[in-house]
Amino acid sequence: MIITTLKNSEKLAKKISKEMKIPYMETESITFPDGDIYLKYKKDLTEKKLIIVESMQPNSNETLMRIIFAAKTAKDLGAKKVILIAPYLAFMRQDKRFNPGECVSAPIMAELLNNSIDQLITIDPHLHRIPKLSDIFTIKAKNYTANHVIADYIKKKFKNEIIVGPDWESYQWADDIAQEVGVKKTVLEKDRHSFRSVDVKIKDKIDMKGKNVIIVDDIISTGNTMIKAAQKARKLGAKTVTAIGVHGLFVENGLKKMHKHFDKILTVNTIEHETNIIDISPELVSAIKKELRI
Ligand code: R5P
């Protein structure tokens, strides 16, 4: 067995390799001057099981292509099995044709991976209108959650807190985390007007006065959802407002925009970022042990 990364997840790949005592291999993963992908493995892969740890952000489009090239090349070089650990699985939000003529990205991404890798382990993919990974993956694909590591962190670092999910889709995180921490939660109702414009309403009233409000969501992309939820919490008297995202993409200056609305902005290290405070590697190590039976 051998572990590598392509571009996005060097820290996590090295952590997992060290923890599991599986050798880490550097892979040359660059581009030709014209932008085409260039990839070179530096060890013999004959009969090896190759674990590629690669988050699909930043640069989701290029990363998907890079993963496909890497997996196909490994097989071509004699690898027995290619296992992708994608701490963040991109393309999952476009899980239906919201408007006529749109591309439904999630099953297309899955089909491309079905044709190139043998197994997938991922963290909190955006499963919503597609309820299970097996609805789109034919290979062995398993999702694990960051809920436990987030709940552990909250238990250690917060007092007098409540959990807020900014939209109905975040229920699966807000509810589990609130239960595990043993505090109250509420889930807001979100109207999405466009890629960049949202509004939130409070449906189930909860007392936020003087509370340390923790807003949890799977993805922070532009940050607009989090900002609207924070404004609502402040209006309702929150003492402090913290954002916790499983996957911090922070596109289009998202982090900068969020700063003035939050006391703290924290993410799990599924995507390498300066806000990474909560470590997912213990969860990934046990997932790999379980799924690969080692
Ligand atoms: C969508 O349903 C997700 O759970 C997030 O709420 C969404 O991706 C956040 O996007 P943004 O940060 O651009 O508002």
Side-chain angles (χ1 to χ4, degrees):
M1 213 171 268
I2 196 157
I3 293 191
T4 194
T5 186
L6 305 176
K7 258 195 159 170
N8 292 342
S9 302
E10 191 180 329
K11 284 188 192 155
L12 208 47
K14 285 186 170 163
K15 242 180 182 173
I16 295 170
S17 136
K18 199 170 162 201
E19 180 69 29
M20 299 192 74
K21 299 187 176 65
I22 299 173
Y24 177 80
M25 167 184 67
E26 298 279 349
T27 294
E28 200 175 335
S29 180
I30 53 173
T31 45
F32 284 101
D34 61 4
D36 287 359
I37 287 167
Y38 174 89
L39 213 129
K40 184 182 174 189
Y41 288 116
K42 298 194 174 167
K43 283 193 177 145
D44 181 16
L45 293 181
T46 316
E47 288 300 305
K48 289 277 195 300
K49 285 186 184 166
L50 176 67
I51 299 179
I52 301 175
V53 182
E54 184 72 352
S55 183
M56 285 167 75
Q57 270 286 341
N59 306 318
S60 51
N61 303 322
E62 186 197 315
T63 303
L64 175 59
M65 196 55 93
R66 214 170 261 287
I67 290 167
I68 295 168
F69 277 47
K72 295 257 183 207
T73 306
K75 285 294 185 64
D76 193 32
L77 293 169
K80 206 157 68 181
K81 202 170 174 192
V82 177
I83 303 112
L84 173 66
I85 312 295
Y88 171 67
L89 190 65
F91 301 100
M92 292 297 288
R93 285 190 294 168
Q94 187 68 9
D95 55 1
K96 81 167 208 183
R97 185 165 290 120
F98 295 92
N99 297 295
E102 280 180 359
C103 156
V104 186
S105 314
I108 299 175
M109 171 275 297
E111 191 187 336
L112 293 167
L113 291 181
N114 283 333
N115 290 329
S116 47
I117 61 169
D118 298 294
Q119 192 170 348
L120 168 73
I121 295 171
T122 187
I123 298 293
D124 291 317
H126 192 77
L127 290 172
H128 187 51
R129 282 153 290 251
I130 295 170
K132 304 184 292 318
L133 286 180
S134 59
D135 294 332
I136 50 172
F137 284 98
T138 51
I139 53 166
K140 207 171 162 205
K142 201 72 201 280
N143 52 307
Y144 283 78
T145 180
N147 285 349
H148 314 300
V149 285
I150 293 176
D152 275 354
Y153 183 85
I154 292 174
K155 278 193 241 170
K156 278 184 209 139
K157 303 282 180 181
F158 288 85
K159 282 201 173 79
N160 192 29
E161 71 274 31
I162 57 162
I163 307 294
V164 172
D167 56 22
W168 187 243
E169 295 166 19
S170 66
Y171 187 89
Q172 48 188 310
W173 295 278
D175 190 48
D176 279 10
I177 291 169
Q179 277 198 36
E180 211 170 314
V181 179
V183 294
K184 289 195 177 143
K185 62 116 210 315
T186 190
V187 174
L188 308 181
E189 215 175 67
K190 178 167 88 179
D191 278 328
R192 182 172 279 287
H193 310 300
S194 71
F195 297 157
R196 294 175 181 84
S197 164
V198 295
D199 264 320
V200 296
K201 287 195 287 267
I202 186 147
K203 216 178 107 206
D204 300 320
K205 288 245 158 45
I206 188 171
D207 189 10
M208 295 198 193
K209 252 192 212 117
K211 295 278 182 191
N212 294 312
V213 171
I214 305 172
I215 306 172
V216 293
D217 204 356
D218 60 340
I219 300 169
I220 304 175
S221 181
T222 62
N224 292 334
T225 300
M226 280 288 190
I227 289 172
K228 289 286 175 177
Q231 285 170 335
K232 183 75 36 190
R234 298 263 183 219
K235 230 184 198 162
L236 294 170
K239 184 176 164 208
T240 66
V241 185
T242 297
I244 299 188
V246 180
H247 311 295
L249 278 63
F250 299 109
V251 300
E252 299 176 350
N253 264 327
L255 184 62
K256 210 169 155 199
K257 277 190 312 193
M258 282 175 72
H259 268 312
K260 69 169 189 266
H261 300 275
F262 288 91
D263 294 273
K264 283 187 202 130
I265 300 166
L266 317 172
T267 57
V268 181
N269 56 349
T270 61
I271 299 169
E272 279 186 19
H273 193 262
E274 61 185 272
T275 55
N276 290 164
I277 295 288
I278 303 170
D279 183 18
I280 195 65
S281 65
E283 198 67 36
L284 281 175
V285 166
S286 64
I288 295 169
K289 284 184 182 159
K290 192 166 164 214
E291 298 304 324
L292 304 189
R293 297 198 180 90
I294 44 177

